[in-house]
Amino acid sequence: MQIPYTVTARTDSGLFNAKLGVWLLLASEVMLFGALFSSYVLLRVAAPTWPHGYDLLNVPLALLNTVVLITSSVTMVMSWASLMMKDFAKYKRYMGLTILCALIFLVVKGFEYGSKFSHDILPSTDTFYAIYFTLTGLHGLHVIGGIVVNFYFWGPGSKMWQTEPERFTNRIEIAGLYWHFVDLVWIFLFPVLYLL
Amino acid sequence: MHEQPSVEEIKKHVRKYIMVFVALMGLTVVTVAVSYLHLDVFWAIVLALFIATIKGTLVAGYFMHLLSEKKIIYWTLLLTLVFFIVLMALPTSGYQGRVV
């Protein structure tokens, strides 16, 4: 059976199905992270004192991760643009760079976590660290999810380019939507947790 | 494919992506620089969130192509935004002006 609207747009929404699906997923993700940001606000306004993130956390490492993640967002959109220009080799390079940036992000995050754990700083240490580990941990899981999907499209899943190039390009577009969202969340996490 | 921009159009997009990338890097530097000013907590939060919102708008507008998206996406996101604002307003309702 042929799955409808994987390439052509629906007449009602003007979109191919998966694109609307991913936007709905992202809307639910906004609420998921929104609930945790809301918890952060509640904990902060109700606390008698609240530490400055820059006194407790490693700002240079977080800044490095911000640069890495923004770079990965650009390489992701460039991988889609390469497919639109029918340049598959360039697509492979940009998608490879996106995955590499995501892995660097996780390694840096690992160093950050490792440094905290080695000083017996855990989510149970205090309210600040509880919300810090929860927010960055959930974000980290999203990065891992993005790596898995992007790796599939970089490797075995890229065979679709030979048979259904337009459908494959659509897949990269919506994988990109998810990846840019992950970047967008970090853009807010960085100042909220590290700089305020 | 729902729409097929020409190669020339895509090349124009690419130039915009590079400009947005430079802007995002610049704004990241500004975000960190502002934190060194050690402003009053309220203004530090306002400024940091303002810069983050500009950066987020650039990512959503250009990288996620939200500037040229279909109406159904705008309505979906508008509904999400309403609920998000409620979610953010709820915890502060009893603590006006009390941020440490």
Side-chain angles (χ1 to χ4, degrees):
Chain A
M1 193 184 114
Q2 189 80 21
I3 301 171
Y5 305 114
T6 54
V7 175
T8 54
R10 293 175 67 101
T11 49
D12 49 6
S13 66
L15 301 163
F16 61 94
N17 277 348
K19 191 170 182 180
L20 181 59
V22 164
W23 272 111
L24 289 173
L25 166 77
L26 296 185
S28 74
E29 291 277 358
V30 168
M31 298 312 290
L32 173 65
F33 279 99
L36 288 172
F37 273 110
S38 181
S39 305
Y40 169 87
V41 175
L42 180 71
L43 292 170
R44 183 158 184 167
V45 295
T49 58
W50 192 264
H52 291 294
Y54 49 75
D55 289 332
L56 303 179
L57 304 173
N58 193 325
V59 175
L61 278 187
L63 176 62
L64 171 65
N65 259 352
T66 305
V67 170
V68 167
L69 216 51
I70 289 173
T71 306
S72 78
S73 232
V74 182
T75 54
M76 186 78 205
V77 79
M78 292 295 280
S79 69
W80 170 79
S82 303
L83 289 180
M84 292 295 284
M85 292 189 279
K86 316 285 181 214
D87 191 338
F88 185 68
K90 226 177 198 177
Y91 156 75
K92 290 279 270 191
R93 272 203 300 277
Y94 280 121
M95 186 55 107
L97 281 172
T98 307
I99 297 164
L100 182 67
C101 284
L103 290 170
I104 292 171
F105 180 92
L106 285 182
V107 169
V108 172
K109 201 84 216 136
F111 276 117
E112 259 193 275
Y113 274 19
S115 158
K116 294 290 170 229
F117 294 154
S118 66
H119 291 90
D120 285 329
I121 296 170
L122 302 166
S124 56
T125 300
D126 62 24
T127 312
F128 175 83
Y129 281 114
I131 197 74
Y132 161 77
F133 279 113
T134 306
L135 274 165
T136 55
L138 183 68
H139 180 263
L141 287 175
H142 279 74
V143 173
I144 292 169
I147 290 172
V148 171
V149 171
N150 287 344
F151 183 77
Y152 174 74
F153 288 139
W154 178 78
S158 68
K159 284 179 194 158
M160 183 184 267
W161 175 253
Q162 310 301 330
T163 52
E164 296 176 274
E166 289 184 347
R167 188 177 176 191
F168 183 67
T169 307
N170 284 356
R171 285 186 163 192
I172 299 308
E173 183 183 5
I174 58 171
L177 287 177
Y178 172 83
W179 190 251
H180 301 312
F181 175 78
V182 171
D183 179 30
L184 215 155
V185 170
W186 182 258
I187 282 173
F188 283 91
L189 277 182
F190 173 52
V192 166
L193 292 175
Y194 291 83
L195 303 177
L196 294 175
Chain B
M1 192 65 148
H2 51 299
E3 284 165 13
Q4 272 289 18
S6 66
V7 172
E8 276 312 305
E9 280 176 299
I10 295 295
K11 281 181 180 168
K12 278 184 195 166
H13 283 304
V14 168
R15 280 194 285 275
K16 280 184 193 165
Y17 298 149
I18 303 297
M19 284 161 68
V20 169
F21 173 63
V22 173
L24 288 171
M25 289 299 175
L27 286 167
T28 301
V29 172
V30 172
T31 309
V32 177
V34 164
S35 75
Y36 281 102
L37 297 176
H38 297 296
L39 297 170
D40 173 63
V41 174
F42 175 78
W43 288 110
I45 291 173
V46 169
L47 204 54
L49 291 184
F50 178 69
I51 298 167
T53 304
I54 295 173
K55 289 169 74 182
T57 306
L58 286 172
V59 170
Y62 289 96
F63 293 169
M64 299 170 90
H65 307 126
L66 210 51
L67 289 174
S68 54
E69 205 37 274
K70 296 284 182 287
K71 270 185 184 170
I72 191 169
I73 301 294
Y74 292 144
W75 285 112
T76 305
L77 293 181
L78 183 67
L79 189 66
T80 310
L81 183 68
V82 170
F83 283 111
F84 183 81
I85 290 170
V86 171
L87 210 51
M88 289 300 117
L90 275 175
T92 52
S93 57
Y95 297 91
Q96 283 88 353
R98 194 190 168 299
V99 183
V100 290

